[in-house]
């Protein structure tokens, strides 16, 4: 028994430096605040503020749309200036935007808050990834991305669970205002943690011989990287956003689930990711990245299609159990997806273009998280079941390239050719 426990603990060891662990602890706190509002954003704007579901979806889309616009210029800044300073600034801007959400009473105010919070998210998300990569060695990148995902899911899961019980006990304006204000506090607290306890590594300098290989034009010439970006947009739009943003309002309207059950489903999903993400690093390391991406797509497809039977169930316990199973299948796909895409992008990026590559990687999530709620919010009004048939698109998606494996194969075959 002791050997089994020791083996289990060994699977959780990351070997990451202390500043990265502190950074991810702050990340978990920040995501706890985000988890408080994430499952109930459309519900709040629709039921409490009186917006239509399509307008509510567009408000969420505006947040990530602005984040998408902010990401590329942030990448350029990160290749020249401190990732730590940009991360702190982005967090404080997001805190202002989410605090404002507590007091919106008309769509234009909600859109204004979306733009402010989105600008902060676009800057902070890219800076966070860049700072993490600069604090670790090359061989630690997969573990760093995995721990980032663990901290995020732990925070979102615990936050969503707490929020589910708060909303279930008192579905009134003051409850939602409290959630948004506390979310804003966690952004500010994360900024203080970064300021006080995380060092500021220097960005890679560009020499004169690199002049023709700098800027976004150099990134645009990397066709393999652009293929990765396009594939990730499809995966996140139809997978992550439909599950995270659209499943809660869909389940509340079309299944017997209440707010507490919705919070539990999010907890199941995020708890599984927290438990399995880091051990999955070793499993995914044995697979070709293209095969791992295809596996993640298939798992997302199965989880989306499996939502539909919940609409035919009249028992809240049975429907909750089914959707909890869906959440676990989706979580497995998340673990594989995170361990493949993030490290692949970091490995493909030249050192002096790391900020730009990671900004476009962040851009895929921002674009996807903007398109997902907008498309999903519209479908909630017109044809709710059609949302989950989007899983077919994922099952039909192609594989991403594996340039590092291909490069290794070419090197291995070179002596034979000679």
């Amino acid at each position: 028994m002791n050997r089994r426990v020791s083996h289990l603990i060994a699977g959780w060891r990351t070997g990451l430096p202390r500043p990265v662990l502190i950074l991810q602890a702050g990340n978990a706190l920040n995501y706890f605040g985000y988890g408080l509002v994430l499952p109930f954003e459309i519900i709040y704007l629709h039921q409490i503020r009186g917006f239509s579901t399509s307008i509510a979806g567009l408000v969420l889309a505006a947040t990530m749309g602005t984040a998408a616009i902010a990401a590329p210029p942030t990448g350029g800044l990160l290749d020249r200036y401190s990732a730590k300073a940009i991360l702190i600034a982005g967090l404080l801007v997001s805190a202002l935007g989410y605090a404002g959400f507590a007091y919106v009473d008309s769509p234009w105010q909600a859109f204004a808050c979306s733009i402010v919070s989105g600008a902060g998210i676009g800057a902070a998300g890219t800076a966070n990834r860049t700072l993490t990569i600069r604090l670790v060695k090359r061989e630690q990148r997969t573990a760093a991305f995995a721990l980032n995902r663990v901290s995020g899911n732990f925070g979102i899961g615990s936050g969503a669970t707490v929020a589910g019980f708060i909303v279930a006990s008192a579905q009134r304006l003051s409850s939602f205002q409290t959630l948004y204000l506390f979310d804003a506090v966690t952004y500010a607290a994360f900024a203080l943690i970064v300021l006080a306890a995380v060092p500021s590594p220097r960005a890679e300098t560009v020499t004169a011989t690199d002049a023709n290989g700098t800027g976004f034009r150099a990134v645009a010439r990397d066709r393999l990287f652009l293929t990765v970006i396009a594939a990730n947009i499809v995966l996140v739009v139809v997978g992550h956003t439909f599950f995270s943003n659209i499943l809660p309002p869909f389940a509340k309207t079309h299944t017997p689930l209440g707010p507490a059950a919705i919070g539990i489903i999010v907890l199941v999903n995020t708890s599984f990711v927290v438990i399995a993400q880091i051990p999955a690093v070793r499993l995914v390391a044995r697979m070709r990245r293209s095969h791992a991406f295809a596996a993640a797509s298939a798992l997302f497809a199965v989880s989306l299609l499996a939502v539909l039977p919940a609409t035919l169930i009249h028992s809240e316990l049975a429907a909750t159990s089914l959707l909890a199973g869906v959440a676990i299948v989706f979580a497995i796909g998340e673990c594989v997806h995170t361990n493949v895409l993030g490290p692949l992008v970091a490995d493909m990026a030249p050192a002096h273009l790391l900020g730009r590559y990671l900004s476009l990687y962040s851009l895929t999530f921002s674009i996807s998280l903007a398109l997902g709620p907008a498309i999903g919010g519209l479908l909630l009004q017109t044809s709710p079941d059609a949302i989950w048939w989007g899983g077919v698109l994922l099952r039909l998606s192609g594989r991403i390239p594996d340039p590092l494996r291909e490069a290794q194969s070419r090197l291995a075959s070179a002596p034979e050719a000679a």
Side-chain angles (χ1 to χ4, degrees), residues 387-410:
I387 297 169
W388 313 110
W389 287 105
V392 177
L393 294 176
L394 292 181
R395 191 64 188 93
L396 296 176
S397 64
R399 294 175 176 175
I400 62 169
D402 196 350
L404 296 182
R405 183 68 66 92
E406 291 168 4
Q408 291 169 359
S409 299
R410 288 194 297 270

Side-chain angles (χ1 to χ4, degrees), residues 13 41 50 72 94 96 117 174 181 244 280 296 306 362 372:
R13 291 173 182 166
E41 287 184 285
S94 291
L96 179 62
S117 58
S174 60
L181 290 174
S244 299
S362 299

Side-chain angles (χ1 to χ4, degrees), residues 127-293:
N128 194 351
R129 291 186 178 97
T130 305
L131 180 59
T132 300
I133 292 300
R134 288 177 178 161
L135 288 170
V136 301
K137 299 176 182 177
R138 186 184 188 90
E139 61 271 18
Q140 295 175 318
R141 287 174 174 176
T142 300
F145 275 95
L147 184 60
N148 178 270
R149 189 65 180 170
V150 168
S151 66
N153 276 269
F154 176 78
I156 288 176
S158 54
T161 303
V162 171
F165 286 103
I166 291 175
V167 173
S169 63
Q171 296 190 48
R172 55 176 179 263
L173 173 61
S174 60
S175 299
F176 289 98
Q177 287 179 318
T178 299
L179 297 180
Y180 273 102
L181 290 174
F182 194 86
D183 181 26
V185 169
T186 63
Y187 275 96
F190 187 20
L192 290 175
I193 290 172
V194 174
L195 177 64
V198 178
S200 181
R202 293 182 179 180
E204 189 78 12
T205 56
V206 182
T207 63
T209 57
D210 295 323
N212 60 354
T214 63
F216 281 103
R217 289 185 179 181
V219 180
R221 288 194 292 267
D222 190 341
R223 293 186 177 181
L224 290 177
F225 174 65
L226 296 181
T227 301
V228 171
I229 292 299
N232 197 43
I233 289 175
V234 175
L235 187 66
V236 178
V237 166
V238 186
H240 284 274
T241 58
F242 281 3
F243 182 86
S244 299
N245 296 108
I246 306 303
L247 181 59
F250 175 86
K252 191 174 187 301
T253 303
H254 300 282
T255 74
L257 273 65
I262 293 172
I264 290 173
I265 289 171
V266 176
L267 176 64
V268 169
N269 169 260
T270 52
S271 296
F272 192 93
V273 172
V274 168
I275 294 170
Q277 183 75 73
I278 293 177
V281 170
R282 293 172 177 81
L283 175 63
V284 174
R286 302 188 186 102
M287 304 172 64
R288 288 183 65 92
R289 281 164 164 167
S290 56
H291 295 170
F293 183 84

